[in-house]
Amino acid sequence: MARGNRHDNPRDLALAVLVRVEKTTVGSQEALSGAFANCPRMSRQDKGLATELLYGCLRWRHYLDYGLLQASGRGSLKFNTHVSWARRMGAYQMVFPDRIPAHAAVDNAVRQARSVAGQRVAGFTNAVLRKVAAGGAKGIFLKSVLARFAKIIQ
């Protein structure tokens, strides 16, 4: 069942909080508490998912960026804040929580990117995340982290 707006969708809520934290001086805990206060009907499970997505994406941001860069085949992934976090969150959902199907993570990230940047950026987001999903997200990201770690210790 499709959800209507960010007030009842944990992924949209997490994205809104991630964008707010990056663009302002508000801390993640304060921003998340405020967002939950605006969503009194959100279930406990959905609040748990939003919390996991928020803190997981913040914790693994550089890891996610590096893996997405490798999957994109580009030298840079500079997009607006909203699209960048949507893409990171899509990748995070494929790599870390085992209960989220890859197609759901990709579809949601594409929808979020399309909502602010249009079809072209959504298409690129779709291509990158589907490449991650097809290649085995955990494998692509593990290889990217090991490659980066190898460069650091040389």
Side-chain angles (χ1 to χ4, degrees):
M1 178 175 163
R3 297 193 174 190
N5 61 41
R6 74 172 185 217
H7 297 292
D8 60 4
N9 183 322
R11 291 173 179 93
D12 289 347
L13 184 134
L15 179 60
V17 172
L18 286 163
V19 170
R20 182 173 181 213
V21 167
E22 183 159 319
K23 289 186 170 190
T24 68
T25 59
V26 175
S28 56
Q29 186 173 0
E30 181 182 347
L32 185 60
S33 294
F36 284 157
N38 292 327
C39 304
R41 294 180 300 189
M42 184 175 278
S43 72
R44 185 173 176 218
Q45 292 83 6
D46 282 352
K47 286 180 179 180
L49 176 59
T51 301
E52 178 179 348
L53 294 175
L54 169 69
Y55 290 117
C57 287
L58 288 171
R59 180 179 306 114
W60 295 102
R61 176 184 185 162
H62 299 292
Y63 172 72
L64 296 168
D65 284 347
Y66 192 77
L68 287 165
L69 186 63
Q70 300 306 305
S72 76
R74 287 185 160 187
S76 173
L77 285 177
K78 294 185 180 181
F79 289 94
N80 73 38
T81 304
H82 188 101
V83 172
S84 295
W85 280 114
R87 200 173 287 140
R88 289 176 189 126
M89 194 165 42
Y92 176 83
Q93 291 175 80
M94 287 188 278
V95 175
F96 291 99
D98 291 332
R99 67 186 182 274
I100 299 174
H103 71 273
V106 172
D107 290 346
N108 193 73
V110 169
R111 179 187 55 78
Q112 290 172 327
R114 183 182 298 117
S115 74
V116 296
Q119 186 56 43
R120 186 172 178 186
V121 172
F124 180 71
T125 298
N126 184 51
V128 170
L129 291 177
R130 289 208 183 274
K131 184 174 179 183
V132 169
K138 289 178 172 66
I140 286 176
F141 280 86
L142 181 59
K143 287 177 190 174
S144 70
V145 168
L146 292 175
R148 190 168 190 179
F149 181 71
K151 289 179 185 178
I152 292 170
I153 61 172
Q154 289 180 345

